[in-house]
């Protein structure tokens, strides 16, 4: 009898284990099923952004561009006109469409203008660096609040605005955002600038459009950008190799030139222009002494750089800055072009309109195509 009881107890135990395992399996199966039921927004070029739409919310995750395999931030977008769903996944909840935002970056202010959502901008940082007449007028009229320096914003002003979200750019090894992280307002880490391609960054506009209730407008704009970019690339590719380009200029004792795999390096490549550092596999900038640039790129045909100033940059300004510039072929042959970023919206427009930058490069590298006038660059005054 004891043996029978023992067998019965073992049978009951085995049944319990089976049921428990089945229950766990069902739970896991349900969890996986929920993920499958989500509608993943397929990205054509963007590599850091992942968006999955569910019935009651949209889950967004951003990869950490500096730590492979790690997530920088998770967000959950919930329709502001609906009741808050139960059992939301991990992430900062943002009610959409966003009605009021504090925007730390000039490029995202410009994008919101492109999308017709600039009325949602309640506050900005670093307005002194912005070249956006309409927005600057709204700031002057008191319709948009200047929240000060982006690296040390006036948190009290942000709190008074009570925005739905803050848009800011993350940077490596900054130790966080200080007081901004302490206030109970979601902050969106706009890591789009870390995408390895120009179109990858531009594609983030589809996410920002979703955030501000302008998804259709954003999707259409991106289709236009993508189409124009590829049309220009094909146009340049049909020509013989174009004139060579070097960008930027000395800062102190070094010259930061674009790596071959950087966005600028790739746009130069797409323009079918020569580039002395095209074989370099760095995605960022190369920090080089002038002598190294002169040795490798001294015979470059075109020299393009950005500057800030109240008047056009001149040859005399170049020589006053550094006499060694006179050794560059582009200087000798008067093929130097400047972009006055304090007057021209280069930083505002090109992140989400890389086709416009590509067009400038093609105009310079392939003048025979006669594509019209330059948008951002102009010859320096000799």
């Amino acid at each position: 009898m004891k043996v029978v009881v023992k067998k019965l107890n073992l049978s009951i135990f085995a049944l319990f284990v089976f049921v428990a395992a089945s229950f766990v399996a069902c739970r896991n199966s349900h969890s996986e099923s929920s993920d499958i039921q989500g509608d993943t927004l397929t990205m054509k070029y963007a590599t850091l952004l992942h968006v999955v739409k569910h019935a009651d919310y949209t889950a967004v995750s951003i990869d950490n561009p500096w730590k492979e395999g790690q997530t920088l931030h998770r967000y959950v977008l919930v329709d502001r006109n609906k009741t808050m769903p139960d059992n939301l996944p991990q992430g900062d909840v943002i009610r959409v469409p966003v009605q009021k935002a504090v925007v730390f970056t000039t490029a995202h202010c410009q994008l919101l203008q492109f999308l017709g959502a600039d009325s949602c901008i309640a506050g900005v940082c670093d307005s002194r660096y912005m070249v956006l007449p309409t927005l600057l007028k709204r700031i002057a009229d008191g319709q948009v609040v200047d929240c000060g320096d982006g690296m040390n914003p006036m948190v009290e002003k942000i709190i008074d605005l009570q925005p739905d979200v803050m848009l800011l750019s993350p940077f490596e090894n900054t130790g966080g955002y200080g007081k901004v992280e302490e206030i109970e307002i979601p902050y969106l880490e706009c890591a789009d600038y870390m995408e390895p391609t120009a179109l990858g960054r531009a594609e983030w506009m589809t996410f920002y459009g979703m955030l501000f209730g302008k998804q259709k407008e954003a999707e259409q704009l991106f289709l236009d950008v993508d189409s124009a970019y590829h049309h220009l690339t094909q146009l340049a590719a049909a020509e013989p190799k174009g004139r060579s380009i070097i960008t930027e200029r000395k800062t102190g004792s070094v010259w930061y030139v674009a790596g071959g795999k950087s966005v600028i390096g790739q746009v130069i490549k797409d323009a079918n222009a020569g580039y002395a550092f095209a074989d370099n596999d760095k995605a960022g900038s190369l920090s080089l002494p002038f002598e190294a640039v002169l040795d490798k790129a001294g015979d470059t045909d075109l020299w393009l750089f950005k500057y800030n100033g109240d008047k056009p940059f001149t040859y005399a300004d170049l020589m006053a800055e550094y006499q060694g510039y006179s050794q560059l072929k582009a200087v000798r042959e008067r093929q130097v072009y400047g972009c006055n970023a304090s007057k021209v919206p280069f930083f505002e427009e090109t992140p989400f309109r890389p086709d416009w930058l590509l067009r400038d490069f093609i105009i310079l590298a392939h003048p025979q195509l006669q594509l019209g006038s330059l948008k951002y660059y102009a010859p320096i005054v000799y």
Side-chain angles (χ1 to χ4, degrees):
M1 187 67 180
K2 290 182 179 178
V3 175
V4 174
V5 171
K6 186 175 182 179
K7 286 184 177 180
L8 181 61
N9 288 341
L10 286 173
S11 298
I12 293 172
F13 176 74
L15 180 62
F16 171 77
V17 171
F18 173 77
V19 172
S22 299
F23 178 70
V24 172
C26 287
R27 288 191 53 154
N28 289 339
S29 175
H30 176 73
S31 176
E32 292 173 2
S33 176
S34 295
D35 291 338
I36 293 172
Q37 288 173 6
D39 183 13
T40 300
L41 182 65
T42 302
M43 293 292 170
K44 191 174 181 181
Y45 307 102
T47 61
L48 301 175
L49 180 66
H50 309 280
V51 180
V52 182
K53 287 188 174 183
H54 295 266
D56 298 322
Y57 63 89
T58 298
V60 180
S61 65
I62 299 171
D63 291 346
N64 190 321
W66 302 286
K67 295 180 180 178
E68 189 175 353
Q70 295 188 26
T71 298
L72 180 68
H73 218 126
R74 297 181 190 276
Y75 301 95
V76 182
L77 312 186
V78 179
D79 190 328
R80 65 168 53 253
N81 298 312
K82 296 182 180 179
T83 304
M84 185 69 73
D86 295 326
N87 303 319
L88 289 175
Q90 179 186 1
D92 290 351
V93 176
I94 301 175
R95 286 288 202 167
V96 294
V98 168
Q99 295 179 336
K100 190 186 294 186
V102 172
V103 186
F104 282 52
T105 58
T106 186
H108 296 96
C109 286
Q110 177 65 80
L111 176 61
L112 293 181
Q113 285 194 5
F114 284 155
L115 299 179
D118 48 317
S119 62
C120 298
I121 302 174
V124 298
C125 288
D126 296 323
S127 64
R128 65 186 182 279
Y129 300 123
M130 294 181 175
V131 188
L132 296 168
T134 303
L135 181 59
L136 292 174
K137 184 178 186 306
R138 291 181 63 206
I139 294 171
D141 293 344
Q143 298 173 15
V144 174
V145 175
D146 186 342
C147 297
D149 188 336
M151 300 302 292
N152 187 28
M154 300 175 187
V155 176
E156 295 79 9
K157 287 190 175 183
I158 296 176
I159 293 172
D160 289 343
L161 284 172
Q162 286 297 298
D164 300 316
V165 68
M166 298 175 283
L167 272 64
L168 45 79
S169 293
F171 295 98
E172 187 178 16
N173 300 323
T174 57
Y177 302 104
K179 292 182 180 179
V180 168
E181 293 186 79
E182 298 173 9
I183 59 180
E184 294 183 359
I185 298 170
Y187 60 89
L188 185 66
E189 298 192 87
C190 302
D192 50 76
Y193 78 98
M194 288 300 296
E195 286 287 346
T197 64
L199 289 174
R201 180 178 192 179
E203 192 172 19
W204 278 57
M205 71 172 69
T206 58
F207 165 56
Y208 297 126
M210 186 185 306
L211 198 69
F212 286 88
K214 296 289 184 177
Q215 185 173 351
K216 288 183 179 179
E217 292 86 345
E219 288 173 348
Q220 183 57 57
L221 177 58
F222 181 69
L223 284 174
D224 295 343
V225 171
D226 190 17
S227 175
Y229 194 97
H230 280 94
H231 171 71
L232 288 166
T233 300
Q234 292 166 6
L235 195 66
E239 297 294 313
K241 193 75 169 182
R243 295 195 291 175
S244 53
I245 294 173
I246 186 70
T247 62
E248 308 318 324
R249 67 188 201 275
K250 257 168 47 70
T251 302
S253 62
V254 298
W255 189 325
Y256 294 100
V257 301
K261 298 296 184 183
S262 68
V263 167
I264 291 296
Q266 291 178 65
V267 175
I268 293 174
K269 179 182 177 181
D270 290 338
N272 194 20
Y275 185 49
F277 300 94
D279 58 350
N280 178 273
D281 62 0
K282 190 170 183 181
S285 296
L286 308 174
S287 174
L288 300 174
F290 175 77
E291 292 73 20
V293 177
L294 179 64
D295 180 61
K296 194 168 180 67
D299 289 332
T300 295
D301 300 312
L302 301 161
W303 180 16
L304 318 179
F305 59 79
K306 296 180 288 294
Y307 68 95
N308 291 284
D310 294 329
K311 62 182 184 65
F313 212 85
T314 68
Y315 177 79
D317 293 330
L318 273 182
M319 292 303 100
E321 185 175 283
Y322 185 63
Q323 283 288 331
Y325 289 149
S326 63
Q327 301 175 72
L328 298 171
K329 175 185 175 181
V331 173
R332 296 195 308 269
E333 298 189 358
R334 300 191 175 187
Q335 293 297 315
V336 183
Y337 293 78
C339 170
N340 189 347
S342 64
K343 306 291 184 181
V344 177
F346 182 94
F347 293 110
E348 284 77 8
E349 294 178 349
T350 60
F352 296 102
R353 291 303 312 239
D355 53 315
W356 291 351
L357 177 61
L358 176 61
R359 181 178 173 276
D360 261 18
F361 284 2
I362 293 175
I363 288 172
L364 290 165
H366 303 277
Q368 73 277 9
L369 289 175
Q370 298 182 347
L371 294 181
S373 58
L374 293 165
K375 185 174 181 62
Y376 300 111
Y377 291 94
I380 68 165
V381 179
Y382 279 83

